[in-house]
């Protein structure tokens, strides 16, 4: 079975959002069209507590986009975004959600970030996505959404590690930084991933 994972198509990652991905809204029509081609569609959702450790606001001597060490892991500091229960954390209202069978929330623990839809950044806690896909007999995963150089990339890498044939759908994802994504794309391809 082939599954589509829609990563973090949330208000805060769209133009005017707290952590806007350039042209992030332009991929939504493609994602809506793609969904009909899959046996299973799931989504991920950043769902941070208001005092999340990845927020620059929690580190008074630091600036947004600084890198610090957070509980033994390198951590980029972000603007406050996708805070649980806020409008910014909601899935985009232009995203067709009718076919989405399950939503896997991530970044829920304040002491560790979670880019991947499968695990937190330290792989200390699973979201349940891997087990869900295995139970549904999924063998191939296609990934789209926001942002290509962070949450899409890390979801794709963990998908490969879990043994799924994995592709990133380029027309249905956008990066925060194109250069960063180009470097990460090479690593993904070297590991056996595909770009569609």
């Amino acid at each position: 079975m082939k599954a589509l994972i829609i990563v973090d198509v949330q208000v805060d990652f769209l133009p005017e959002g707290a952590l806007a991905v350039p042209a992030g809204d332009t991929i939504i029509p493609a994602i809506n069209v793609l969904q009909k081609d899959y046996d299973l569609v799931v989504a991920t959702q950043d769902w941070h507590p208001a005092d999340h450790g990845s927020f620059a606001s929690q580190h008074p001597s630091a600036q947004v986009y600084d890198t610090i060490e957070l509980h033994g892991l390198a951590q980029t500091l972000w603007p406050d975004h996708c805070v649980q229960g806020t409008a910014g954390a909601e899935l985009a209202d232009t995203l067709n959600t009718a076919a989405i069978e399950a939503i896997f929330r991530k970044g829920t623990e304040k002491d560790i970030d979670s880019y991947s839809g499968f695990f937190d950044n330290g792989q200390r806690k699973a979201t349940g996505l891997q087990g869900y896909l295995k139970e549904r007999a999924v063998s191939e995963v296609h990934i789209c959404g926001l942002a290509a150089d962070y949450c899409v990339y890390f979801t794709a890498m963990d998908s490969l590690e879990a043994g799924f044939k994995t592709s990133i759908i380029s027309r249905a994802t956008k990066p925060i930084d194109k250069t960063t994504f180009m470097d990460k794309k090479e690593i993904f391809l070297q590991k056996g991933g595909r770009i569609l």
Side-chain angles (χ1 to χ4, degrees):
M1 180 184 288
K2 185 169 62 173
L4 178 68
I5 301 175
I6 302 169
V7 175
D8 299 357
V9 180
Q10 293 169 257
V11 172
D12 270 346
F13 296 127
L14 302 180
E16 311 302 322
L19 184 51
V21 176
D25 58 331
T26 64
I27 64 170
I28 295 173
I31 294 172
N32 289 340
V33 169
L34 280 169
Q35 293 183 51
K36 68 179 177 5
D37 297 329
Y38 292 86
D39 306 308
L40 174 66
V41 179
V42 299
T44 68
Q45 186 179 26
D46 246 9
W47 195 250
H48 297 308
D51 61 348
H52 198 266
S54 73
F55 294 165
S57 64
Q58 300 302 305
H59 308 274
S61 61
Q63 299 291 319
V64 172
Y65 306 121
D66 282 355
T67 300
I68 65 164
E69 184 176 303
L70 184 65
H71 302 285
L73 296 173
Q75 175 65 56
T76 299
L77 295 180
W78 305 107
D80 293 19
H81 66 281
C82 298
V83 173
Q84 297 170 0
T86 66
E90 295 302 316
L91 295 177
D93 60 8
T94 53
L95 178 69
N96 181 355
T97 59
I100 296 173
E101 292 193 22
I103 296 171
F104 294 86
R105 289 180 167 164
K106 59 193 187 65
T108 60
E109 302 290 326
K110 76 172 193 172
D111 293 330
I112 190 164
D113 212 352
S114 185
Y115 298 149
S116 170
F118 288 90
F119 299 98
D120 63 57
N121 290 357
Q123 295 205 343
R124 299 170 187 163
K125 181 179 175 184
T127 64
L129 176 57
Q130 181 175 338
Y132 188 85
L133 296 176
K134 297 272 188 190
E135 286 176 13
R136 296 295 304 275
V138 170
S139 58
E140 183 171 351
V141 168
H142 292 180
I143 302 169
C144 62
L146 302 169
D149 44 341
Y150 285 93
C151 296
V152 169
Y153 169 77
F154 285 100
T155 298
M157 292 299 284
D158 281 347
S159 177
L160 285 172
E161 187 69 26
F164 299 109
K165 183 178 178 181
T166 305
S167 300
I168 293 172
I169 304 172
S170 61
R171 70 185 181 279
T173 189
K174 290 285 183 188
I176 292 172
D177 182 283
K178 289 180 182 177
T179 303
T180 301
F181 179 62
M182 293 306 290
D183 294 340
K184 290 179 176 178
K185 181 171 89 169
E186 289 307 312
I187 297 168
F188 174 67
L189 293 170
Q190 289 168 12
K191 295 285 186 179
R194 296 187 307 152
I195 304 290
L196 300 179

